[in-house]
Amino acid sequence: MDYGLLNRGSLLFGVIAVILPIINLMRENKSINKNWSIFSIASASACAISLCMQIFYISHLVNIEDWTAMMDTLSTVALASALLLVITITLNAIVCSIYCKIKS
């Protein structure tokens, strides 16, 4: 297996996790949009998949005992993962608050 795909896949799913709520916020007529929750669930799922791929990649580095690669990249990966999680949660909370206000 090409473990480099885990990093590229993680990046792709991270971008998807951020873009989906932005698409939800940019929609013109929010009052008739009934699929906003599907986009939010897909966004949270993409974020989870992205983080899971990073865990699998770190597990691979541990298995092959590539300690220098872990020492070089782990702090950046941890920061990027935390930022992805915070941004995804924040954007989806904004989407939820907007659509819940419109609904009531």
Side-chain angles (χ1 to χ4, degrees):
M1 177 179 182
D2 183 15
Y3 286 95
L5 289 176
L6 289 172
N7 281 330
R8 289 184 284 260
S10 177
L11 181 62
L12 175 68
F13 279 104
V15 169
I16 290 170
V18 172
I19 287 178
L20 286 177
I22 291 172
I23 290 172
N24 240 343
L25 290 170
M26 292 175 63
R27 288 194 167 178
E28 295 268 335
N29 197 348
K30 291 178 178 46
S31 61
I32 62 169
N33 182 15
K34 301 193 190 301
N35 297 331
W36 69 269
S37 59
I38 294 172
F39 278 89
S40 290
I41 291 169
S43 171
S45 298
C47 180
I49 292 169
S50 176
L51 296 175
C52 190
M53 288 176 132
Q54 282 302 312
I55 292 169
F56 288 146
Y57 184 70
I58 292 169
S59 174
H60 166 69
L61 292 179
V62 169
N63 289 337
I64 64 171
E65 298 179 1
D66 192 353
W67 309 119
T68 55
M70 282 183 35
M71 288 189 298
D72 289 344
T73 62
L74 199 52
S75 61
T76 304
V77 169
L79 177 64
S81 297
L83 284 174
L84 173 65
L85 187 60
V86 167
I87 291 169
T88 303
I89 290 172
T90 303
L91 285 172
N92 282 309
I94 292 168
V95 167
C96 183
S97 68
I98 288 172
Y99 282 101
C100 288
K101 283 181 186 175
I102 290 172
K103 188 176 181 181
S104 55

